[in-house]
Amino acid sequence: MTQEKSAREELEYWSTVELDSAEVARRASLLILDFEAHPEKYTDPEDVASPFCQIVGLFQQPTDKDAAVTLRTEALPALLRLYDARLREWRKVGPQEGYDSAASDLLFVLKIFAMYRGEEPLQRIIDAARIPLDSDGYMWSVVLSALVNAEPEAATHVVSALREPLPPGFIAVALLDMANTLAREHGVTSHSFDTAQGRELLRAFLTDKDPEHFSYAHSAAASLPFLTDSREFFTLAMEHPDVGVRMEVAWAAARGGDALAVARLQDWSKDPKTRKRAVTYLTELGIQPAPVPEEDRARLEAMAEMIQWLEYPTEFGRVPDHLEVYDHRRLFWPPTKDERDVWLFRYRYEDEGSEPEEGVGMVGSVTFALFGETTAELPPEDIYALHCVWELQQEGDERAPKERTIQAGRKLLGLPAR
């Protein structure tokens, strides 16, 4: 006889199920309603994952339109009630210092409201911004991005409702990004920051010297083509210490026909540190990047690719202080089963008060750096060998050795053993 699953086990199971039909979604809805009625059944003192978050996550699992409609009809009202109860509790206890798990859970629900929309869910988003709910929570960017991607008309409603006064903290930055998207991609002509308060905030973002806030200035610069009078802000943005902000305002000026701004973007397209972004802006404007000699183009593109990877927030988060070609060759690459050009780049990061951090990254297949494994002390063949094994392992390829070793990689590449 099979032992019946506990409510907790049932939730664990449903957290992995694709809701691919109305019938499957209906069964998930019954679980959500049962959680609302008997939350204690789903709680375990040893839980790492919040059962509430798992319940909320079910709303992200429909892979079929009918399943989404079923969840909206049969389970979304329960989620609204669960959210309201938890919001009341959060307001009663008050915001917590450091990581506020209750606020994080509530923002996750707001993301679901952004995905499903409707009058009541949208009003919850507006009210949460007005409270404000975790005004410095970066999850607000996810909430409002989900909204504008799902339905521009609903996003326009929210941005209009929050226009005066604008909400505080990072909510305002996320709202600015959403307003920029509406103007840039959906032709909304009235920008929500084209007000006295909005212009003061834009000025503050553009003059803030804290590198942690440079992304705010980037967002401010992106709004400039859509303001009624932005000459003062163009000057501030062009003087900003961050090149990304200067590039954004050059795009804004080029969009208005400024030939000097176009020339600046084309100059940036010749620099590997800025090429990727400059080419993106120029392509959007329908303008070609600056011509590059054929013999230099491959190197420039490869170096730009390596820099873009290194400056991802999950890697080093900025352009390296030094980057040079360590090796370039054409070889047969087993993971892709073809012959291709591959590159190795030696990078170095220097921080005051600490030892420089150096390494070698690869471009040509999957751009990556094996931190702690690949250094310039190794010959290029050994680095290619390690990357070859790593890439096969990532793909779950049956040719992948169990252990990532230089000898295994050299054998795959047809290189003599050391």
Side-chain angles (χ1 to χ4, degrees):
M1 184 174 177
T2 306
Q3 186 177 2
E4 188 177 346
K5 290 180 182 178
S6 69
R8 193 72 187 88
E9 290 170 333
E10 194 73 15
L11 178 55
E12 289 288 347
Y13 166 75
W14 278 98
S15 297
T16 65
V17 173
E18 287 188 355
L19 307 184
D20 56 5
S21 70
E23 179 55 34
V24 176
R26 190 167 291 112
R27 291 164 60 195
S29 298
L30 291 174
L31 185 72
I32 294 166
L33 293 170
D34 189 59
F35 176 86
E36 181 189 17
H38 307 287
E40 71 284 351
K41 290 169 34 180
Y42 297 84
T43 303
D44 188 315
E46 297 182 4
D47 280 340
V48 176
S50 160
F52 177 67
C53 280
Q54 289 180 296
I55 286 290
V56 177
L58 292 174
F59 286 85
Q60 297 185 132
Q61 290 170 213
T63 58
D64 173 86
K65 183 178 180 181
D66 289 341
V69 170
T70 299
L71 272 188
R72 179 196 299 276
T73 303
E74 301 189 12
L76 191 60
L79 185 61
L80 286 163
R81 293 189 296 268
L82 286 166
Y83 170 84
D84 290 345
R86 286 173 178 264
L87 180 63
R88 284 193 298 271
E89 185 62 27
W90 179 83
R91 298 188 76 173
K92 180 180 176 182
V93 174
Q96 302 299 299
E97 291 292 331
Y99 176 66
D100 190 335
S101 61
S104 179
D105 288 353
L106 290 167
L107 283 167
F108 185 22
V109 182
L110 292 183
K111 178 194 173 186
I112 301 302
F113 290 164
M115 292 168 58
Y116 282 76
R117 302 174 305 287
E119 183 179 347
E120 287 193 72
L122 292 181
Q123 192 58 50
R124 297 303 196 283
I125 294 172
I126 294 166
D127 292 344
R130 287 279 178 238
I131 289 172
L133 172 62
D134 195 9
S135 61
D136 291 321
Y138 287 99
M139 187 68 179
W140 273 105
S141 182
V142 176
V143 172
L144 297 184
S145 292
L147 180 60
V148 74
N149 290 335
E151 186 181 332
E153 293 79 7
T156 301
H157 170 70
V158 169
V159 84
S160 298
L162 295 173
R163 181 186 180 102
E164 292 188 284
L166 291 166
F170 186 75
I171 305 176
V173 180
L175 191 70
L176 173 59
D177 288 334
M178 185 166 77
N180 289 343
T181 299
L182 288 169
R184 191 170 183 164
E185 299 179 16
H186 303 288
V188 175
T189 55
S190 179
H191 198 287
S192 61
F193 276 66
D194 202 5
T195 64
Q197 184 197 5
R199 297 172 77 86
E200 281 301 314
L201 270 177
L202 295 176
R203 186 177 294 105
F205 293 160
L206 289 169
T207 55
D208 189 337
K209 302 303 180 186
D210 184 351
E212 294 290 323
H213 296 160
F214 282 177
S215 64
Y216 303 178
H218 194 284
S219 298
S223 73
L224 301 190
F226 313 110
L227 304 181
T228 51
D229 183 4
S230 53
R231 287 170 294 181
E232 172 198 357
F233 300 126
F234 270 101
T235 301
L236 290 174
M238 285 306 301
E239 295 173 352
H240 198 277
D242 182 69
V243 67
V245 175
R246 299 198 299 275
M247 291 176 73
E248 184 71 41
V249 76
W251 164 83
R255 192 174 183 274
D258 188 322
L260 180 58
V262 172
R264 286 191 178 118
L265 286 170
Q266 289 181 319
D267 282 344
W268 277 316
S269 75
K270 295 185 289 185
D271 185 337
K273 294 180 180 178
T274 51
R275 179 171 176 79
K276 288 284 189 179
R277 281 178 289 180
V279 169
T280 297
Y281 286 126
L282 288 165
T283 300
E284 186 174 334
L285 293 165
I287 299 170
Q288 291 295 316
V292 178
E294 187 65 36
E295 62 271 19
D296 296 333
R297 185 175 301 137
R299 175 180 170 276
L300 175 63
E301 294 286 5
M303 188 171 282
E305 175 71 21
M306 188 78 256
I307 290 171
Q308 184 184 53
W309 186 87
L310 288 167
E311 64 178 343
Y312 284 156
T314 52
E315 308 309 334
F316 285 93
R318 63 181 177 89
V319 172
D321 296 298
H322 180 76
L323 187 77
E324 64 182 17
V325 176
Y326 184 57
D327 187 75
H328 168 228
R329 64 185 70 188
R330 189 169 182 83
L331 51 73
F332 182 82
W333 191 245
T336 54
K337 300 178 183 178
D338 61 8
E339 189 175 280
R340 58 181 51 213
D341 282 287
V342 289
W343 301 75
L344 296 177
F345 290 98
R346 182 178 180 177
Y347 61 82
R348 183 173 69 248
Y349 285 87
E350 299 171 353
D351 290 303
E352 191 174 343
S354 61
E355 289 294 316
E357 190 166 356
E358 298 183 346
V360 176
M362 178 182 158
V363 172
S365 181
V366 177
T367 302
F368 201 73
L370 293 167
F371 298 127
E373 290 187 64
T374 54
T375 69
E377 295 174 1
L378 291 174
E381 295 81 3
D382 288 357
I383 297 177
Y384 289 126
L386 287 169
H387 274 271
C388 179
V389 175
W390 172 83
E391 194 170 325
L392 288 172
Q393 289 175 334
Q394 295 303 304
E395 294 172 355
D397 194 295
E398 61 183 11
R399 295 170 294 165
K402 291 183 179 179
E403 294 185 19
R404 186 160 63 240
T405 66
I406 289 172
Q407 295 303 341
R410 290 180 74 97
K411 183 177 180 181
L412 284 163
L413 290 169
L415 299 172
R418 288 180 61 190

